[in-house]
Amino acid sequence: MTEHRRPSPPATSVPQRHHSVKGLQRRGTYGTENHLVFHEDFQEEWKPLRVRELIRPLTVRQWIEGGKIHREPISRETPRFELFFDLLFVAIIHQLADAAIEEPGGRSVARFILTFWPSWSVWEEARKFANQSGTDDLLHRLWILIGMMTLIGYTANASAIELEPTGEEETVDHSAVRAAVAFWLVIKLTRVIVLLYYAWKLPSFRNAHLWKAVAVLIPMFFLLPLIWVTSRPAQIVLATLLIVVDVCRIDLLVLAIRGQIYEFQQRRAQGKKGLGVKGWHRMPDLPQAYKVPVTNIEHAVERLGAFVVIVLGEMVMNLVYTAVKGEIGVSRQYGKAALGLMVAWAINYLYMLPSEPSAEYEHALRHSWFSGICFTFFHWPLCAALILASAASGKMVANDEVEIGVHWYWGSGVGFAIIFMAILDLTHQDLAPGQARIPRVIRALLALCAGLSLILFSLGTQHMPSTGVLAITVGITWFLLAFNVFGMLPKPGTVQKEELERRERQEEQGRGVVVQDLDGRAELESGGGVGKQREERVEEGRLEEGGSRG
């Protein structure tokens, strides 16, 4: 294995400009500098010349070993078959949204939440496999096909689960529950088989893959009894336990415990006292020869963001209408569709704000295992909330007078989405505390207030037309967006000061200094005369900073 020179970071990595000294140190601690080893064990471009070469050798594309992160030296591109897999979720989201809006109310929401998680978990498993071991070969593509076929069966039956007896029936028919569970168990079983196969073929990663297989297998035992359980409360309890156990990630807990034991043994061997336990949210060190597959952060962020866009696409699709007589041109219906689009646009903007160039943060997936789990998990309620809002948007555009449940779906969906986006923002580590014009905590509190106001407001809109509900939602979301965009900007004078400090450090290390002339062109200075020019620029920066404070 060869260690390569560190390449330029991918576009989705932490921004490189204007970091404080503390921020630079923390970035080094979490692997962006001295904890990376780049390997070339996997060839991105694979040209099969024989039939047997249609199946590529098994691989792990990035892993942790001996405190180092071994990863590919180039950014990952999302294969087209992954995007094709996402197309199915466009239909799944539409199907589940239609089922939820048929009878808007608490029971429909409960059914939607409990049926949306299994499909989300399948998408998550497919994403993790493509992220850590995806080969994009014939076997990988066939597994995607099998998953898509079973997901079609799962969604068709999950959306048909009865909330109450229909027709002349005296009891609820549970056949749809049994069929949905059977389809879901099949796709999960294929994932377990894949992990066991990797454990067999890759001895150096055997323990890690075996525990991953256990982590996938255990939740299956909570859903398996639903094949014969007919009590609705028992079904709800088992489905809820499935979500809880699936989120807990048994494999990570085992790694954390094993790492703590290893650290304790190391301290005893060195004659040190105390347990020496790191922060509870930190993944402890593991034995030198122990390899653990890890997530490629850029790929994970891109895939999760793509799923959010798919959900927002469902909202946009429901806003599109066919004009009829009386609604031709700029009509009331057009106005409602435009207002709904403004809300979707603002939500997409709010979701993308942490990845803006002005954001100074260390991503949750890089910060710690706990923040990474939280970042991944909270995308599920975010998407669930947006799906409910999407289901309501179509009816609100088509009809000005709708039942209160539709307004509740809309207000609660957008409100909870705002709250969970604020939580996602808090999972990242702020690398420039105190430098934003409005502190992140204040922005998060405003998002909480905005979300709660939309949730509570939707409960009292039984006599309000849909146009008014949409207009108020636009006002709240756009005010929150403007507040966050302005609040994330650095304080006046902060940028100049940080830039000057960075240049001073470069000059002290004997390197050149990047100078920007009045025309905006940059050139590299080196050699004599730099010290005098640096003093002039420092003095100019102080004057600018003093002027901005005044």
Side-chain angles (χ1 to χ4, degrees), residues 25-44:
Q25 293 172 349
R26 296 186 69 85
R27 285 173 51 237
T29 301
Y30 298 120
T32 56
E33 297 290 344
N34 59 332
H35 275 203
L36 287 181
V37 176
F38 295 93
H39 69 85
E40 293 182 350
D41 294 354
F42 182 82
Q43 298 179 6
E44 190 70 35

Side-chain angles (χ1 to χ4, degrees), residues 353 436-438 443 480-492:
L353 271 180
R437 299 196 180 196
I438 301 175
R443 301 198 305 268
L480 180 65
L481 176 61
F483 188 85
N484 277 270
V485 171
F486 175 80
M488 289 181 63
L489 295 175
K491 294 178 181 178

Side-chain angles (χ1 to χ4, degrees), residues 290-531:
Y290 200 90
K291 295 183 179 181
V292 181
V294 294
T295 298
N296 180 288
I297 296 176
E298 295 82 17
H299 179 270
V301 172
E302 179 184 357
R303 302 296 294 123
L304 289 169
F307 199 95
V308 174
V309 171
I310 290 174
V311 176
L312 288 173
E314 170 69 13
M315 181 182 294
V316 173
M317 184 175 66
N318 287 335
L319 296 173
V320 178
Y321 68 97
T322 301
V324 296
K325 289 185 178 180
E327 295 290 345
I328 302 295
V330 181
S331 60
R332 179 184 293 270
Q333 193 171 11
Y334 169 78
K336 290 186 291 184
L339 290 173
L341 184 62
M342 292 174 68
V343 173
W345 185 87
I347 291 174
N348 184 64
Y349 202 145
L350 284 169
Y351 176 79
M352 296 299 296
L353 271 180
S355 59
E356 291 288 307
S358 59
E360 304 284 346
Y361 74 101
E362 178 184 57
H363 201 280
L365 292 172
R366 177 175 285 123
H367 180 54
S368 72
W369 68 271
F370 179 74
S371 61
I373 289 179
C374 290
F375 177 79
T376 303
F377 169 74
F378 283 119
H379 272 81
W380 168 63
L382 167 63
C383 292
L386 289 176
I387 291 173
L388 289 178
S390 302
S393 62
K395 283 202 170 186
M396 293 173 66
V397 170
N399 307 284
D400 211 32
E401 300 293 336
V402 296
E403 52 188 306
I404 184 65
V406 176
H407 286 170
W408 179 59
Y409 272 23
W410 171 259
S412 298
V414 176
F416 277 114
I418 289 174
I419 292 174
F420 285 118
M421 282 191 293
I423 294 175
L424 286 175
D425 185 30
L426 292 175
T427 60
H428 305 305
Q429 176 69 19
D430 191 1
L431 291 180
Q435 294 187 9
R437 299 196 180 196
I438 301 175
R440 186 170 64 161
V441 175
I442 301 299
R443 301 198 305 268
L445 288 176
L446 180 65
L448 176 63
C449 294
L452 290 176
S453 65
L454 283 171
I455 295 170
L456 297 176
F457 161 73
S458 63
L459 298 176
T461 57
Q462 58 269 27
H463 301 300
M464 181 177 290
S466 298
T467 305
V469 175
L470 289 167
I472 291 175
T473 308
V474 169
I476 293 176
T477 54
W478 276 62
F479 173 77
L480 180 65
L481 176 61
F483 188 85
N484 277 270
V485 171
F486 175 80
M488 289 181 63
L489 295 175
K491 294 178 181 178
T494 303
V495 176
Q496 296 91 330
K497 181 179 178 180
E498 291 295 322
E499 181 67 15
L500 291 171
E501 289 179 356
R502 183 184 67 82
R503 292 177 178 178
E504 285 181 353
R505 289 195 299 270
Q506 286 183 340
E507 292 177 0
E508 290 174 358
Q509 296 172 2
R511 292 182 291 184
V513 181
V514 178
V515 180
Q516 193 171 26
D517 58 20
L518 296 177
D519 296 329
R521 294 172 298 183
E523 61 183 17
L524 184 67
E525 290 185 353
S526 61
V530 173

Side-chain angles (χ1 to χ4, degrees), residues 114-115 117 222-223 226 234-244:
L114 296 178
T115 55
W117 172 263
F222 288 91
L223 216 60
L226 291 182
Q235 291 175 344
I236 294 174
V237 170
L238 288 172
T240 304
L241 288 175
L242 162 70
I243 298 175
V244 174

Side-chain angles (χ1 to χ4, degrees), residues 507 513 525-538:
E507 292 177 0
V513 181
E525 290 185 353
S526 61
V530 173
K532 181 178 179 181
Q533 294 172 3
R534 176 175 61 84
E535 292 175 358
E536 293 175 355
R537 287 194 296 273
V538 170

Side-chain angles (χ1 to χ4, degrees), residues 43-87:
Q43 298 179 6
E44 190 70 35
E45 296 183 0
W46 178 265
K47 296 181 180 180
L49 302 178
R50 305 171 186 174
V51 174
R52 65 172 179 266
E53 292 178 353
L54 293 173
I55 300 176
R56 303 182 64 169
L58 303 186
T59 185
V60 173
R61 304 186 68 164
Q62 58 275 327
W63 66 90
I64 291 179
E65 181 184 7
K68 298 280 188 179
I69 299 177
H70 298 254
R71 59 162 292 169
E72 299 160 313
I74 59 175
S75 300
R76 178 88 62 85
E77 293 184 2
T78 303
R80 294 182 180 179
F81 266 83
E82 280 192 71
L83 301 177
F84 181 74
F85 183 65
D86 288 348
L87 286 178

